[in-house]
Amino acid sequence: MNKENIVSGVQNAPHRSLFHALGLTEEEQSRPLIGIVSSYNEIVPGHINLDKIVDAVKMGVAMAGGTPVVFPAIAVCDGIAMGHRGMKYSLVTRDLIADSTEAMALAHGFDGLVMVPNCDKNVPGLLMAAARVNIPTVFVSGGPMLAGKVDGRKTSLSSMFEAVGAYNAGKLSDEKLLEYECRTCPTCGSCSGMYTANSMNCLTEALGMGLKGNGTIPAVYSARTELAKHAGMAVMDMVKKDIRPRDIMTRDALMNALTVDMALGCSTNSMLHLPAIAHECGIKLDLDIANEISKKTPNLCHLAPAGRTYMEDLNEAGGVYAVMNELNKKGLLNTDCMTVTGRTIGENISGCVNLDPEVIRPIDEPYSETGGIAVLKGNLAPEGSVVKRSAVLPEMLVHEGPARVFDCEEDAQAAINAGKIVAGDVVVIRYEGPKGGPGMREMLNPTSAIMGMGLGSSVALITDGRFSGATRGACIGHITPEAASGGLIGVVEEGDIISINIPENSIQLKVDEAVIRERMKSFVPKKKELSGYLKRYAALVSGGASGAILNSTDY
């Protein structure tokens, strides 16, 4: 259905009367109706500039002969939600965003959509909606924040969380902590490292759903406003050519996105979101493919938290297209995939050279010959778990130590703050998965505390929950099956030896099989009293290895 189905003919005169009630002239009603999905709000730093981006999109649509109409999408700031019950409401909004956008788009007969997200769940939620609705759609984000600066060095939100850990360890003064607080996040925009928001915005370019620069042009640059105008024009061209999201988000395009993900060293959350997006496109994306792609994809970027470069640096170095052009030198991309420009990936990236080999390593001089993310399996995670390998110190790529077991993030955080975690330990945080949390909370507080206290080279952390893109260290998340679903992580006991081997993609509980069988016989997962949306979500959600999608078979 498009606008013509609801405004043409005598039978639809009532609909036209309501368009007049909106103040739309006959001329406006005769043009393609373009929905602009605005994630603007005044609580998320990455979203407070989206009103300006939306205005620019409207201008672009109008300039190209369309009629722009704005409607909203919600957003949660993961940074503000971090470390308390609010984080249970982060991942779950991905499906609310997809559902509500689908409802609005199809109820009102739009001819095309421009998605204006920025932060963590908005981008994948709106990509899921785009696949469902399948009308011409372009993405334009609000752009990344500029890096802060303390003591002459650039900083980002992960620096702030680690500063708290250093303060708790007595390594940072009150005055210096306040300086970090006031100078770490200096502008609007999505946080300045390669965290989840920026990972997903960069991957819109790799998928072909966003224009060049969508992932990297800083929020405060005027070029971001120009990009938004071009996005408005682009959707009108797509309407004319009838180019739709499922024409763009093919299996080959998803493989391109995974490849670029590995080269950039994106957030582990992309391993939740890409399978969920693929699912909406009718494509099954098995996480096992991630290791296959990683084996042949060099890691070319070490952006924060993995290194000391930031989104503004990647932008100046040529952005995502320059990374893709490097990858294409070894034929690692499918260049025939269609994009929102009406041209192929190959045509788009042609001539996009790497302007700074210190930010984007040349394909023959990578940080590593393998990609930035690894999927680990073993008896602890037979269905899979995920680690950001590019952000792990070399000495922690292989680690074995005693389990320190906690049934929630808060208990683990208290133990870390109290100095009860020591070198060699493996911190285990369970009942934080999609069902068990519910909502699969990110664990940036405990991981940052471990790093800030100087334990990053000697302590690992595993969880059936997940990690912020700002996390660095030997932090393995998405352990599936989770404790609440009867997974082995639920019977790990204090002092059990856990072996982690990232190069070999392995994670093992080193306990005799007979002992494990006895424990599992008597294991009854803990239940939580739930209400409202979280109760419904926990009843429907799948495991982390399949993207924490809502199982339609349970409806």
Side-chain angles (χ1 to χ4, degrees), residues 44-47 76-79 117-124 127 139 141-145 157 189-205 214-216 224 264 266-270 273 311 388 442 466-470:
V44 183
H47 290 225
V76 166
C77 176
D78 280 18
N118 210 21
C119 292
D120 300 54
K121 309 310 157 306
N122 297 92
V123 186
L127 282 165
F139 276 69
S141 77
M145 184 184 292
L157 187 64
S190 48
C191 297
S192 56
M194 188 54 81
Y195 310 151
T196 307
N198 292 325
S199 295
M200 294 309 301
N201 281 323
C202 286
L203 293 185
T204 62
E205 294 187 53
N214 185 51
T216 60
R224 175 63 55 179
L264 286 173
C266 289
S267 163
T268 52
N269 281 316
S270 62
H273 300 320
M311 296 306 297
K388 189 171 183 174
E442 289 184 342
R466 63 195 177 96
F467 297 113
S468 164

Side-chain angles (χ1 to χ4, degrees), residues 200-512:
M200 294 309 301
N201 281 323
C202 286
L203 293 185
T204 62
E205 294 187 53
L207 279 169
M209 292 296 293
L211 299 176
K212 178 185 178 184
N214 185 51
T216 60
I217 298 172
V220 294
Y221 282 15
S222 297
R224 175 63 55 179
T225 304
E226 294 181 33
L227 182 73
K229 292 176 182 175
H230 283 296
M233 297 179 206
V235 76
M236 291 300 297
D237 188 53
M238 291 178 72
V239 169
K240 291 173 187 171
K241 295 176 179 176
D242 195 29
I243 299 173
R244 298 169 182 253
R246 292 195 191 181
D247 299 328
I248 295 170
M249 292 192 287
T250 61
R251 176 171 289 279
D252 285 338
L254 287 158
M255 294 302 102
N256 282 346
L258 270 172
T259 301
V260 174
D261 186 315
M262 296 297 174
L264 286 173
C266 289
S267 163
T268 52
N269 281 316
S270 62
M271 295 296 103
L272 279 176
H273 300 320
L274 287 174
I277 294 161
H279 176 74
E280 298 295 346
C281 294
I283 299 167
K284 182 174 174 54
L285 192 63
D286 193 318
L287 275 191
D288 288 341
I289 195 70
N291 285 340
E292 292 179 30
I293 290 176
S294 181
K295 283 179 186 176
K296 61 184 181 182
T297 306
N299 178 225
L300 304 182
C301 298
H302 265 194
L303 292 129
R308 295 181 181 176
T309 53
Y310 296 81
M311 296 306 297
E312 61 203 66
D313 302 312
L314 179 58
N315 188 62
E316 295 302 318
V320 176
Y321 277 16
V323 174
M324 294 175 75
N325 209 19
E326 286 290 339
L327 293 171
N328 198 40
K329 290 177 182 178
K330 289 196 172 180
L332 296 175
L333 298 175
N334 186 315
T335 55
D336 293 329
C337 293
M338 179 52 61
T339 73
V340 293
T341 65
R343 299 186 295 275
T344 64
I345 284 287
E347 291 171 314
N348 284 349
I349 67 174
S350 178
C352 296
V353 298
N354 180 0
L355 301 175
D356 190 340
E358 295 301 313
V359 177
I360 304 171
R361 288 283 183 89
I363 192 74
D364 293 321
E365 300 175 32
Y367 282 102
S368 68
E369 293 293 340
T370 53
I373 288 176
V375 173
L376 312 187
K377 287 190 172 183
N379 65 353
L380 256 179
E383 294 175 25
S385 61
V386 181
V387 63
K388 189 171 183 174
R389 172 167 41 194
S390 61
V392 179
L393 292 170
E395 57 267 37
M396 289 299 292
L397 289 171
V398 178
H399 180 77
E400 186 170 293
R404 305 298 309 279
V405 184
F406 305 93
D407 286 346
C408 67
E409 176 189 359
E410 288 83 355
D411 289 351
Q413 186 68 46
I416 296 167
N417 290 345
K420 295 180 179 179
I421 303 302
V422 299
D425 285 346
V426 178
V427 177
V428 178
I429 307 177
R430 61 193 179 192
Y431 293 104
E432 291 286 6
K435 286 183 179 293
M440 206 177 188
R441 287 195 290 181
E442 289 184 342
M443 305 287 170
L444 184 55
N445 276 343
T447 60
S448 297
I450 287 168
M451 296 302 296
M453 290 179 168
L455 294 171
S457 61
S458 59
V459 170
L461 191 155
I462 71 171
T463 180
D464 52 11
R466 63 195 177 96
F467 297 113
S468 164
T471 290
R472 63 189 179 106
C475 302
I476 294 95
H478 309 196
I479 297 245
T480 312
E482 61 178 291
S485 295
L488 186 61
I489 190 173
V491 299
V492 175
E493 294 183 359
E494 191 81 6
D496 285 349
I497 300 301
I498 292 175
S499 175
I500 298 162
N501 191 317
I502 295 173
E504 293 186 4
N505 306 113
S506 171
I507 181 166
Q508 294 284 339
L509 175 64
K510 299 188 76 175
V511 172
D512 187 86

Side-chain angles (χ1 to χ4, degrees), residues 81 154 157 183 242 536:
K154 289 182 178 180
L157 187 64
R183 301 185 67 180
D242 195 29
R536 282 179 281 138

